[in-house]
Amino acid sequence: MSSTPASIHSGDFNGIPAWRIDTPAARAAVSVHGGQLLAWQPAGFDEVLWCSPTTRRPPQAIRGGVPVCWPYFGRDGQPVDAPQHGHARISAWQFVDAVEEDDAVVLDLALPPDPRTPLRLRQRLRIGAVLEQTLITRHAGDADIVFTQALHSYFAVGDLRQVSVSGVDGLRYADKFDGNEYEQAGDWRLDEPRDPGRSDRIYADAGARFTLTDPVRRRRIALETRGSRSLVIWNPGEAGAAAISDLPARGWREFLCVETANAGTDIVRLSPGAEHRLGQRLSVSTL
């Protein structure tokens, strides 16, 4: 790391080996394990991402931040012993390069090649007052291939029961709790009458702009997506959280996952030598 900018250094984040970024515009941490953005705090704001204080440690998956789900979302027809959400989030990533710009630091990471897939993955993070995160998938094989993926963002919230997400009104979504499809009416809220208190939805043919409004923390998180036609909104709710060993009892009220994804029917097909980019842009403003 001696050739990297002074704003980046190797350290740890809550005991997890990480690259730490510290600039006048923002602070952040990216785990070596999983290539996972664990923290992003633009100047003048509280931490934007949530990490479970009881998360498992490497080599197991880390709960929180922005897990990289790749080269499949969930298990998507994989064998029962396949790692949930793929191997990218439980593998050590490699540092490629870092560059300081006037208002941000750009960090490039790579997932080492794996014999289980001919796909190759790199990640670019532009960290400043605005966060830009991109997964770059390249097909190094000799036959067409399909894959799914997600940036599984855990956003920190003051009280999930008061949070809303706009940009989904009128969208069709697959509810993974019952396997059926429905149409969203209005903003997403936890207390929706049809299935209150939890959420595991894949919105299809989604737009590219969404806003999470948090009246307790008095802020809005704007999400812009690229290379995606689907959006996932997930929180297990109180009952579901009780069955998750690395969530504290009331932790479910402290986050909402709003995920930039290619999931459900939104499957990416690549020909040999082709490339696909999935990206998100995050910004924060006060209410």
Side-chain angles (χ1 to χ4, degrees):
M1 297 287 293
S2 59
S3 62
T4 62
S7 55
I8 301 179
H9 64 275
S10 294
D12 71 83
F13 180 83
N14 293 342
I16 299 170
W19 294 287
R20 303 295 300 263
I21 297 92
D22 191 352
T23 75
R27 295 180 176 179
V30 183
S31 171
V32 176
H33 181 70
Q36 188 162 328
L37 182 66
L38 298 178
W40 171 56
Q41 185 176 359
F45 292 94
D46 293 335
E47 173 59 50
V48 175
L49 302 174
W50 182 87
C51 281
S52 172
T54 58
T55 184
R56 296 183 293 270
R57 292 294 194 266
Q60 300 184 77
I62 301 167
R63 184 171 298 282
V66 186
V68 175
C69 304
W70 185 95
Y72 52 85
F73 179 80
R75 284 201 171 88
D76 273 354
Q78 303 296 315
V80 294
D81 60 346
Q84 176 79 354
H85 292 312
H87 65 276
R89 69 177 188 148
I90 54 172
S91 299
W93 285 58
Q94 298 171 339
F95 174 85
V96 176
D97 193 17
V99 177
E100 280 185 330
E101 299 182 347
D102 290 341
D103 59 349
V105 171
V106 179
L107 178 63
D108 283 308
L109 305 174
L111 180 67
D114 189 286
R116 288 171 287 190
T117 177
L119 297 174
R120 303 292 180 260
L121 180 61
R122 291 180 67 160
Q123 178 179 188
R124 174 165 293 175
L125 292 148
R126 188 177 189 277
I127 299 165
V130 172
L131 176 78
E132 296 181 32
Q133 184 174 17
T134 306
L135 297 182
I136 306 164
T137 301
R138 181 178 59 84
H139 185 10
D142 55 9
D144 285 3
I145 193 170
V146 298
F147 70 100
T148 53
Q149 60 185 333
L151 291 166
H152 196 314
S153 304
Y154 285 72
F155 292 110
V157 300
D159 185 344
L160 179 62
R161 298 170 299 178
Q162 299 185 49
V163 165
S164 64
V165 178
S166 63
V168 294
D169 181 35
L171 297 181
R172 300 287 297 177
Y173 66 87
D175 190 325
K176 295 184 70 179
F177 283 115
D178 65 13
N180 295 321
E181 289 193 359
Y182 303 92
E183 183 174 312
Q184 179 75 35
D187 292 349
W188 178 94
R189 297 181 185 275
L190 189 69
D191 62 355
E192 290 186 24
R194 189 193 67 76
D195 189 21
R198 64 183 187 179
S199 182
D200 195 354
R201 304 178 178 185
I202 301 177
Y203 291 88
D205 297 318
R209 296 176 183 269
F210 310 92
T211 303
L212 185 158
T213 301
D214 184 349
V216 173
R217 293 203 173 194
R218 300 186 60 80
R219 70 183 183 189
R220 292 187 180 92
I221 301 172
L223 167 64
E224 298 178 31
T225 68
R226 301 184 302 275
S228 169
R229 292 186 293 106
S230 53
L231 182 82
V232 178
I233 298 183
W234 178 78
N235 184 284
E238 184 173 13
I244 299 176
S245 62
D246 59 350
L247 273 183
R250 293 168 60 88
W252 65 275
R253 290 170 54 173
E254 299 173 355
F255 74 87
L256 180 64
C257 289
V258 184
E259 309 171 36
T260 301
N262 298 115
T265 58
D266 182 13
I267 297 170
V268 178
R269 179 179 294 274
L270 281 185
S271 57
E275 181 180 280
H276 179 271
R277 297 189 176 216
L278 174 72
Q280 63 180 10
R281 181 182 190 274
L282 305 177
S283 58
V284 189
S285 60
T286 56
L287 285 178

